């Protein structure tokens, strides 16, 4: 009996201490003018609930109590969450008015201080200019699309009569395709060393910045150091050889007068990491989910296959996809947009205040993050009738792509600069996949939609020739 009383006493004491700590943390942020909300634990905040519950954390547990504008503490910093479409559009369109990119510290540490998501002002303009020069329509048409086509042909060969994990294959595809565009001559020799480090880097970007052994943050940061070494040696080797290379790294390293966006080696390396990172998740996940949705919607697959078979009929067997073919893939583009909308690969965008500023009638302190949460816009029945249905035909009307709340690829001056390159990669992948193969799912694995869209146990399909 005495032991039970001691255990009960300890339990009550711990409960009281936890309650006191939570109350103390709430009092720290109970400043006049702040929006309503809860802050959770010191340091950790409500990150665990946010990552585990995702949309339910936002929609049911917070927005239902506090409305579409509330405060929290997620991913290591005090944050105001905005779920209001009008306000979100204003925030994204007014970066110069006291708002700059506000990505989590883990992302900034691992992607580098020179990555395009971290910089602003004149530096952002220079970095964005350098990036846009690499992925302009002219570059896609003349330099990148031939590399993409050559890679996809080889990558998608010999899948017949195999059970494959399409999640793993699309991850490999997205990484290796980008690597070939960045460093075409060396891509094969560095891929085996580079790829596992890159995958660890990706996991580390969405974690609490706690530098302890075994954490995703520590593993991601160590992976960055290994990647810096790989890329540094690659740049040094190219500089010593003095050969010219017509790939992204070759263009970034140019020293001639035609290069208006000269970057330091550190900036070049961060730019390469940014290109790999920004394209990897969107391209791999959209490709995987397109395969999933096409399997589940045979009429959509039939229409898509019809479009691509029409292109193949106009070509010789070994003739590559060209720019005009890409532009003719209207239904494919619609499938990509509908997949991105329904799967919601990008849930929102983070900004940081550079001064105390008023938003929505509240005062947001300097240094706070604002999470422009755009996920729910994708399911707005006024914008997308029957929003949970996979219906690519809705995008055949070009007006939907240009409407004010089209934020699938970000918005304002931060709209994803690689949007058209990503669409080219996914379109080429789908072209060779649907014209060569048919497939069926094996196992019916579970899909998660937050914080990343993924199949925890893989997504297995049995592939056979078409």
């Amino acid at each position: 009996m005495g032991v039970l009383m001691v255990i009960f006493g300890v339990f009550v004491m711990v409960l009281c201490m936890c309650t006191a700590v939570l109350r103390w943390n709430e009092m720290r942020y109970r400043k006049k003018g702040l929006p309503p909300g809860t802050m959770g634990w010191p340091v950790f905040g409500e990150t665990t609930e946010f990552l585990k519950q995702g949309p339910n954390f936002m929609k049911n547990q917070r927005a239902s109590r506090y409305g579409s504008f509330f405060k929290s503490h997620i991913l290591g910093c005090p944050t105001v969450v905005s779920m209001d479409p009008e306000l979100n559009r204003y925030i994204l369109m007014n970066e110069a008015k006291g708002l700059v990119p506000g990505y989590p510290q883990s992302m900034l540490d691992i992607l580098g201080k020179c990555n395009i998501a971290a910089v602003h002002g004149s530096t952002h303009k220079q970095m964005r200019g350098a990036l846009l020069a690499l992925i302009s329509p002219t570059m896609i048409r003349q330099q990148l699309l031939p590399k993409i086509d050559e890679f996809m042909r080889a990558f998608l060969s010999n899948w017949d009569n195999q059970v494959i994990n399409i999640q793993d294959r699309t991850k490999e595809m997205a990484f290796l395709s980008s690597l070939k565009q960045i460093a075409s001559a060396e891509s094969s020799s560095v891929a085996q060393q580079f790829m596992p480090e890159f995958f660890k880097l990706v996991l580390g970007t969405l974690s609490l910045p706690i530098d302890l052994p075994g954490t995703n943050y520590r593993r991601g940061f160590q992976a960055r150091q290994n990647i810096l070494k790989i890329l540094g040696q690659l740049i040094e080797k190219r500089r010593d050889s003095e050969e010219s290379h017509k790939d992204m790294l070759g263009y970034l390293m140019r020293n001639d007068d035609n290069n208006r966006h000269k970057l330091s080696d550190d900036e070049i390396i961060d730019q390469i990491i940014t290109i790999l990172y920004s394209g990897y998740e969107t391209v791999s996940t959209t490709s995987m989910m397109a395969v999933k949705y096409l399997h589940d919607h045979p009429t959509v697959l039939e229409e898509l296959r019809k479009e691509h078979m029409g292109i193949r009929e106009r070509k010789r067997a070994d003739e590559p996809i060209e720019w005009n073919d890409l532009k003719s893939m209207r239904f494919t583009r619609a499938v990509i947009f509908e997949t991105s909308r329904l799967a919601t690969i990008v849930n929102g965008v983070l900004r940081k205040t550079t001064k105390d500023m008023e938003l929505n009638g509240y005062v947001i302190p300097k240094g706070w993050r604002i999470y422009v949460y755009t996920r729910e816009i994708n399911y707005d029945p006024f914008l997308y009738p029957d929003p949970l249905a996979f219906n690519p035909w809705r995008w055949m009307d070009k007006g939907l792509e240009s409407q004010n709340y089209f934020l699938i690829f970000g918005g304002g001056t931060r709209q994803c600069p690689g949007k058209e390159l990503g669409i080219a990669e996914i379109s080429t992948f789908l072209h060779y996949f649907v014209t060569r193969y048919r497939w069926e799912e094996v196992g019916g694995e579970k899909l998660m939609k937050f914080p990343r869209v993924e199949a925890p146990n893989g997504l297995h399909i049995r592939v056979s020739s078409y």
Side-chain angles (χ1 to χ4, degrees), residues 13-67:
M13 186 171 65
V14 170
L15 185 62
C16 289
M17 287 176 63
C18 290
T19 304
V21 168
L22 284 169
R23 187 168 294 176
W24 170 78
N25 201 44
E26 294 297 339
M27 292 298 292
R28 287 174 63 206
Y29 295 102
R30 196 167 289 174
K31 296 178 183 176
K32 188 177 180 181
L34 279 172
T38 53
M39 304 302 284
W41 299 95
V43 181
F44 299 100
E46 298 181 307
T47 301
T48 301
E49 297 94 318
F50 168 68
L51 293 178
K52 279 186 177 179
Q53 300 169 21
N56 289 333
F57 173 85
M58 294 292 192
K59 196 173 179 181
N60 301 333
Q61 297 199 14
R62 294 298 176 270
S64 61
R65 292 162 62 186
Y66 304 119

Side-chain angles (χ1 to χ4, degrees), residues 12 14 28 61 114 150 166 176 186 203 218 227 251 262 274 285 293 323 356 373 412 422 425 450:
V12 170
V14 170
R28 287 174 63 206
Q61 297 199 14
C114 299
E150 180 186 25
I166 192 65
L176 294 173
E186 303 89 351
L203 284 175
R218 168 71 70 88
I227 287 170
Y251 280 93
K262 290 186 175 68
T274 299
T285 308
Y293 289 142
W323 182 252
D356 290 1
Y373 187 66
E425 289 186 281
F450 195 92

Side-chain angles (χ1 to χ4, degrees), residues 376-391:
E376 297 308 316
I377 294 174
N378 291 342
Y379 311 113
D380 187 332
F382 294 102
L383 294 174
Y384 308 105
D386 195 8
L388 298 182
F390 182 69
N391 176 19

Side-chain angles (χ1 to χ4, degrees), residues 86-182:
E86 289 287 348
L87 184 60
N88 286 349
R89 180 170 164 76
Y90 171 83
I91 293 168
L92 292 175
M93 296 297 177
N94 289 276
E95 182 175 310
K97 298 178 181 178
L99 292 166
V100 295
Y103 292 92
Q105 194 61 45
S106 55
M107 189 175 287
L108 300 180
D109 291 344
I110 292 171
L111 295 184
K113 63 182 180 181
C114 299
N115 87 79
I116 196 170
V119 296
H120 51 92
S122 59
T123 307
H124 174 254
K125 188 175 181 180
Q126 182 191 19
M127 297 293 284
R128 187 177 176 87
L131 182 57
L132 288 172
L134 295 176
I135 55 178
S136 66
T138 301
M139 281 291 289
I140 294 173
R141 181 174 68 250
Q142 296 178 356
Q143 300 292 336
L144 302 179
L145 186 57
K147 289 184 176 72
I148 292 168
D149 183 271
E150 180 186 25
F151 170 80
M152 294 298 176
R153 279 172 178 269
F155 186 77
L156 280 157
S157 63
N158 304 318
W159 284 22
D160 190 16
N161 294 321
Q162 288 191 44
V163 173
I164 64 169
N165 181 349
I166 192 65
Q167 177 170 251
D168 285 351
R169 289 296 178 94
T170 53
K171 283 181 178 180
E172 291 173 22
M173 176 269 288
F175 172 78
L176 294 173
S177 176
S178 290
L179 191 60
K180 186 176 179 65
Q181 296 164 50
I182 289 165

Side-chain angles (χ1 to χ4, degrees), residues 296-464:
D296 294 347
H297 299 84
T299 55
V300 179
L301 174 58
E302 183 182 359
E303 186 70 18
L304 183 76
R305 190 170 268 144
K306 180 180 172 184
E307 181 170 84
H308 287 282
M309 284 300 186
I311 293 169
R312 283 263 60 93
E313 286 167 6
R314 300 194 294 269
K315 291 179 168 293
R316 298 187 305 273
D318 60 345
E319 196 173 352
I321 290 294
E322 297 173 329
W323 182 252
N324 288 336
D325 301 317
L326 195 63
K327 293 288 104 181
S328 73
M329 296 179 188
R330 291 186 64 237
F331 191 71
T332 306
R333 189 179 182 90
V335 166
I336 292 168
F337 280 15
E338 184 71 346
T339 300
S340 299
R341 179 194 72 82
L342 195 57
T344 310
I345 293 145
V346 178
N347 292 283
V349 178
L350 279 160
R351 294 288 181 262
K352 184 172 77 171
T353 55
T354 58
K355 60 184 179 181
D356 290 1
M357 63 184 303
E358 186 175 333
L359 277 176
N360 213 35
Y362 297 101
V363 177
I364 314 304
K366 177 183 176 181
W368 277 47
R369 263 65 169 189
I370 299 174
Y371 187 24
V372 179
Y373 187 66
T374 57
R375 181 186 181 91
E376 297 308 316
I377 294 174
N378 291 342
Y379 311 113
D380 187 332
F382 294 102
L383 294 174
Y384 308 105
D386 195 8
L388 298 182
F390 182 69
N391 176 19
W393 284 275
R394 72 172 90 236
W395 295 96
M396 297 303 279
D397 175 7
K398 281 288 185 183
L400 193 57
E401 190 176 335
S402 59
Q403 52 94 357
N404 285 341
Y405 305 110
F406 177 69
L407 301 173
I408 290 171
F409 299 95
T413 59
R414 297 277 170 169
Q415 186 176 52
C416 176
K419 169 187 167 186
E420 294 303 328
L421 177 59
I423 289 171
E425 289 186 281
I426 300 165
S427 299
T428 310
F429 166 77
L430 289 174
H431 174 81
Y432 288 112
F433 188 59
V434 304
T435 55
R436 290 179 179 182
Y437 304 115
R438 64 179 80 246
W439 68 98
E440 59 182 3
E441 283 190 19
V442 180
E445 286 95 352
K446 177 186 174 185
L447 283 168
M448 288 176 59
K449 295 289 185 75
F450 195 92
R452 288 187 162 99
V453 178
E454 61 181 336
N457 301 314
L459 186 63
H460 295 84
I461 59 174
R462 181 177 287 107
V463 180
S464 56

